[in-house]
Amino acid sequence: MSVSDAAGAHEPAEPPGAPGAAAGERLGRARGGPSEPGGLLDVLGVAAAVLDAQGRIVLWSPQAQQLFGWSAEEALGRFAAPLLVAEEHVDLILAVFARVMTEGGTWAGVFPVRHKDGSTRPVEFRNMRLQDRHGDWFALGLATDEAVLRGVERDLALSVRLVAQSPIGLAVLDSDLRYVLVNPALERIDALPADQHLGRTVREALPFLDVEAVESAMRQVLASGTALVDQFTVGRTRAAPEAEHAWRASYFRLEDPAGRVIGLATSVVDVTDQHRAATEATAARRRLALIARASVRIGTTLDLDRTARELADFVVADRPGLADIAAVDVLDSVLTRRQAAGAPAGTPAEAAPRTFRALAVAASHPDEEAVRAADPTGEIASYGADRLVTRCVTGGRPVLVPRVRAADLPHIARSPQAAAVLARAGLHSYLAVPLIARGEVLGALDLKRTRNPLPFDEDDVLLAGELAARAAVAIDNARWYQSQRHAALTLQRHLLPHQPPQPVGLTVAYRYQPAAAAGEVGGDWFDVIPASGERTALVVGDVMGSGINAAATMGQLRTATRTLAGLDLDPAEVLHHLDRITQGLEETIATCVYAVLDPHRGRLRIATAGHLPPVLVGTGRAPLLLELPTGAPLGVGGVPFEATTLGLAPEDRLVLYTDGLVETRDQAIDERLRTLLDLLAGPRLALEPTCDRLLTALRHPDDPDDVALLIAQVEPVGPVGPVGPVEPRESGAPGAPGEPGE
């Protein structure tokens, strides 16, 4: 029998030049098209040999030569047992051969085989009986090196175990990017069983991902062979479509030992927790940045209304801002320091209405319709306990309505008409947070979203609460300073003369202007005091310091001055007594100018205690700063005061003022005094317009000091004394009878 007969190879001849074409065509049809062979058999190096019924070798593969060392020429026709088996094992192997040939079964096992070089190596066999078409029997032996096979088995077992037990999602896709293997971890990650992966593409199995990007990355790796590692992607799963998940995927091209591309391996790690933590950290950094900017932009002044506007503007400033519409409403009882109006007897505190004053409203867009639904700035409104802003300030806790329904609008809007406006504007989310400072609820920050499509969430509540807490302190500071300013102004205006008398021979005009800052109110005063003999005492003073204490001290000194003026003392003596009084007041320093005018004699007796020089404005002459002995401020003690006598003519003017009129931080005092003289040298106006001119030109709305201004003009009356300056004399020097100090 020929070798071809023994192999059962009686097939039609192949066309010339196309060896194996028929088999390849049949294989291609069976698999749907031609394909490259795999490489595992090449790794194993499986050897094949066919023996006839007597045990002679009739077919011998090249792999058999590689495994056993004998070439086909050396092996064919020889009995296999004595060729390949040691003599002590021949009987055993012949018995196995006989059993296979007679019983038609198979035999598998490891057997020591003798190599051509004389060495012995274990070889794993698979033996089976074959029959050709003539009815003759043959034995087929398949063999491979046991060490190589055990290595492949270990690698395979390790790979299978690793794939099955790995916490990392692993998959293998073929060259058409269809799943051929999915491990349990990837089933859990994708929330999809393996059988719904296999045979499908990523687009078919996981349509909720960014499949364009994923498949593009896979094709890139298949084409280039360069792995892509840690590709970040975000999406949703069928199991939890409402929650965002994040994954990091890596892609590796798979090749067989011959270098042929057989597909793609991918590893997927669920990093949702890390992604959420990173997102939260980013949000926290954004909150911190916003809060840092808020610290700079909110509370820049101690003006209550401006602070509220700064808060509202800041909340809607970013794109997108925290809110599209923001309103700052403060409890009216907080501003007036009155207890909130009580509810009817038996009404729980949480059911009581609250009265609010709208301080600020802001919108992210100038054409925002919903602004018309807000309480107008400055308006006072009372709202029942069912209104959400009332619940917010009553409970001192945020009130969040992530998705506003039609039934919620009456509890948000101030009226049915306002509710209709909010509905048309598209209000879809609402948040109110309390303004709490030093343990007291001051009001609420009211936030609405109409254009920003995202609803308010807990992160927004946290951010709004942080902003509200910081702004509340600024609002509370502004409230207290405003209250202090009001108290100081009230006290000072009560202590200042309401309507100084128009004395004989004098016309007077005066102004008092408080400082812009609440804490700077208090120390300046003026007075016009009738004295004996139709004389008049003119006083302007300035208590160092500010606030209510300075105003109270000013009141004490003004009262003492009026008392001393009634004793007909020389101005230097008056200042001497005021100095002693001031020393008795704790840590008090004051400046003062005190003058007594006798209109009948046309004489002015004047002394100063550390005060700025008065200005004498004569008719036909340039205004003049009076060069007087300055004297020490009141309260220093131990320094004598000097009085000076001046002659005044009718229509001469004496301008007395405090330092708030001329002192600034950016100009020298000499320059400011020259400006004062230039203003007084201008066209002569009546006294009242002259006061206004000086304040308008020299003062600014935000000046940090208050100012007292007194202008006295000499009017003709009786005999007029000599005009012009008189040499100053020491206080207490003898003078004409009937004149103090003269």
Side-chain angles (χ1 to χ4, degrees):
M1 177 182 294
S2 69
V3 171
S4 61
D5 288 341
H10 299 287
E11 296 288 345
E14 299 286 353
E25 182 180 356
R26 289 194 299 275
L27 180 60
R29 286 195 301 268
R31 297 186 57 186
S35 62
E36 295 291 335
L40 181 59
L41 292 180
D42 293 335
V43 173
L44 293 175
V46 176
V50 176
L51 310 181
D52 63 13
Q54 288 74 40
R56 294 188 185 87
I57 301 172
V58 295
L59 291 174
W60 189 257
S61 71
Q63 290 80 8
Q65 180 177 348
Q66 295 174 2
L67 181 62
F68 303 121
W70 305 96
S71 66
E73 291 77 7
E74 294 171 325
L76 291 175
R78 297 179 65 176
F79 287 99
L83 179 67
L84 301 176
V85 179
E87 184 177 352
E88 63 269 22
H89 297 144
V90 169
D91 292 342
L92 176 61
I93 200 66
L94 290 177
V96 170
F97 177 75
R99 187 168 62 251
V100 170
M101 297 301 290
T102 58
E103 298 177 4
T106 62
W107 181 85
V110 178
F111 204 86
V113 174
R114 186 171 57 190
H115 192 270
K116 180 181 178 181
D117 62 9
S119 64
T120 301
R121 63 186 62 183
V123 174
E124 179 134 346
F125 284 93
R126 294 293 184 274
N127 295 321
M128 62 206 74
R129 189 178 67 175
L130 303 178
Q131 185 178 24
D132 68 6
R133 62 183 176 177
H134 302 294
D136 296 327
W137 298 99
F138 297 87
L140 171 63
L142 300 176
T144 187
D145 188 287
E146 186 204 25
V148 173
L149 180 60
R150 295 289 90 81
V152 170
E153 288 176 342
R154 284 193 301 271
D155 291 345
L156 180 60
L158 178 62
S159 299
V160 170
R161 186 64 63 183
L162 284 176
V163 168
Q165 296 185 353
S166 172
I168 298 173
L170 300 172
V172 175
L173 297 90
D174 62 19
S175 56
D176 295 326
L177 298 184
R178 294 185 177 276
Y179 286 101
V180 296
L181 182 146
V182 173
N183 76 336
L186 191 62
E187 291 182 88
R188 293 191 297 270
I189 290 173
D190 291 344
L192 192 69
D195 59 0
Q196 295 185 35
H197 282 86
L198 300 181
R200 299 180 180 180
T201 64
V202 175
R203 184 183 303 275
E204 294 167 346
L206 309 171
F208 44 81
L209 295 181
D210 183 1
V211 293
E212 294 293 340
V214 172
E215 290 188 344
S216 175
M218 289 180 170
R219 292 191 185 96
Q220 176 185 336
V221 172
L222 276 178
S224 68
T226 302
L228 288 178
V229 179
D230 282 344
Q231 302 298 296
F232 183 78
T233 185
V234 175
R236 301 177 186 274
T237 66
R238 285 192 178 94
E242 73 287 348
E244 187 176 73
H245 290 257
W247 303 274
R248 288 196 178 275
S250 298
Y251 308 106
F252 309 90
R253 192 170 74 179
L254 296 179
E255 301 173 355
D256 67 9
R260 292 185 295 267
V261 177
I262 59 175
L264 187 84
T266 178
S267 63
V268 180
V269 179
D270 190 326
V271 293
T272 301
D273 291 341
Q274 298 93 314
H275 173 63
R276 288 174 181 167
T279 302
E280 291 171 0
T282 301
R285 286 193 294 270
R286 176 176 174 268
R287 285 198 301 270
L288 289 175
L290 277 173
I291 291 167
R293 293 204 302 272
S295 300
V296 175
R297 293 170 52 183
I298 300 173
T300 60
T301 69
L302 291 173
D303 182 272
L304 181 62
D305 293 331
R306 181 170 175 178
T307 300
R309 286 195 304 272
E310 289 170 346
L311 172 59
D313 290 341
F314 182 82
V315 167
V316 301
D318 289 345
R319 295 290 184 273
L322 179 59
D324 296 313
I325 305 101
V328 180
D329 300 318
V330 175
L331 291 168
D332 189 58
S333 59
V334 168
L335 298 180
T336 60
R337 308 308 302 166
R338 296 193 300 265
Q339 292 294 326
T347 303
E350 62 272 13
R354 293 300 182 98
T355 301
F356 295 87
R357 183 180 300 177
L359 294 187
V361 178
S364 59
H365 295 79
D367 58 345
E368 181 60 62
E369 181 183 10
V371 171
R372 296 193 295 108
D375 294 324
T377 302
E379 184 175 292
I380 296 177
S382 179
Y383 295 109
D386 63 331
R387 196 165 188 256
L388 299 185
V389 70
T390 304
R391 286 172 45 193
C392 176
V393 298
T394 301
R397 299 177 62 83
V399 174
L400 171 64
V401 184
R403 302 189 183 279
V404 174
R405 302 166 301 172
D408 298 319
L409 291 176
H411 303 293
I412 297 173
R414 60 192 176 96
S415 65
Q417 294 78 10
V421 170
L422 292 177
R424 289 196 302 272
L427 173 65
H428 66 86
S429 195
Y430 174 83
L431 173 62
V433 292
L435 298 169
I436 302 175
R438 301 175 178 93
E440 181 180 8
V441 178
L442 307 180
L445 174 61
D446 186 280
L447 305 176
K448 302 180 182 72
R449 281 184 179 173
T450 55
R451 297 173 184 256
N452 185 339
L454 298 177
F456 288 114
D457 57 21
E458 292 301 327
D459 286 341
D460 295 319
V461 174
L462 182 61
L463 175 57
E466 288 279 357
L467 292 175
R470 292 173 179 264
V473 174
I475 289 174
D476 195 44
N477 289 340
R479 172 181 68 119
W480 280 108
Y481 273 102
Q482 183 168 297
S483 175
Q484 182 182 8
R485 174 183 174 84
H486 177 73
L489 281 173
T490 300
L491 175 61
Q492 188 172 49
R493 285 170 177 160
H494 177 73
L495 295 173
L496 288 173
H498 298 287
Q499 185 64 44
Q502 291 297 333
V504 176
L506 279 180
T507 302
V508 297
Y510 58 90
R511 292 289 186 275
Y512 172 76
Q513 194 171 84
E520 298 297 329
V521 173
D524 293 12
W525 91 92
F526 68 91
D527 212 343
V528 179
I529 308 169
S532 62
E534 295 186 339
R535 291 174 301 153
T536 303
L538 304 173
V539 188
V540 168
D542 183 0
V543 175
M544 302 301 175
S546 58
I548 293 178
N549 291 337
T553 301
M554 176 272 292
Q556 292 175 288
L557 293 179
R558 177 174 177 264
T559 301
T561 304
R562 293 184 71 87
T563 301
L564 293 169
L567 300 178
D568 288 339
L569 299 175
D570 181 74
E573 288 295 328
V574 171
L575 293 181
H576 173 72
H577 290 293
L578 287 176
D579 182 43
R580 291 179 57 191
I581 293 171
T582 306
Q583 292 179 59
L585 302 175
E586 185 176 354
E587 297 181 358
T588 298
I589 297 292
T591 65
C592 183
V593 57
Y594 184 90
V596 178
L597 176 67
D598 185 343
H600 295 287
R601 295 171 180 254
R603 291 180 182 274
L604 179 74
R605 187 77 170 155
I606 186 169
T608 67
H611 204 82
L612 289 169
V615 179
L616 179 61
V617 185
T619 56
R621 299 191 305 274
L624 176 67
L625 282 171
L626 295 179
E627 295 183 2
L628 305 173
T630 303
L634 302 177
V636 173
V639 179
F641 299 97
E642 298 181 23
T644 300
T645 301
L646 303 174
L648 298 181
E651 297 189 1
D652 283 354
R653 292 179 176 179
L654 185 67
V655 181
L656 307 177
Y657 54 93
T658 56
D659 57 1
L661 182 68
V662 293
E663 286 188 352
T664 63
R665 296 175 180 174
D666 55 354
Q667 288 181 285
I669 186 64
D670 291 341
E671 183 180 345
R672 294 285 291 177
L673 289 173
R674 283 195 298 270
T675 303
L676 172 62
L677 295 178
D678 291 341
L679 291 169
L680 292 171
R684 192 178 183 92
L685 303 176
L687 296 185
E688 296 291 342
T690 299
C691 289
D692 293 336
R693 174 198 285 177
L694 296 181
L695 290 175
T696 301
L698 296 172
R699 293 279 290 174
H700 299 286
D702 57 349
D703 278 347
D705 199 2
D706 54 352
V707 61
L709 173 64
L710 177 63
I711 304 178
Q713 178 173 305
V714 179
E715 302 295 346
V717 55
V720 179
V723 178
V726 177
E727 290 299 325
R729 291 174 291 179
E730 296 294 332
S731 66
E739 292 191 21
E742 290 191 330

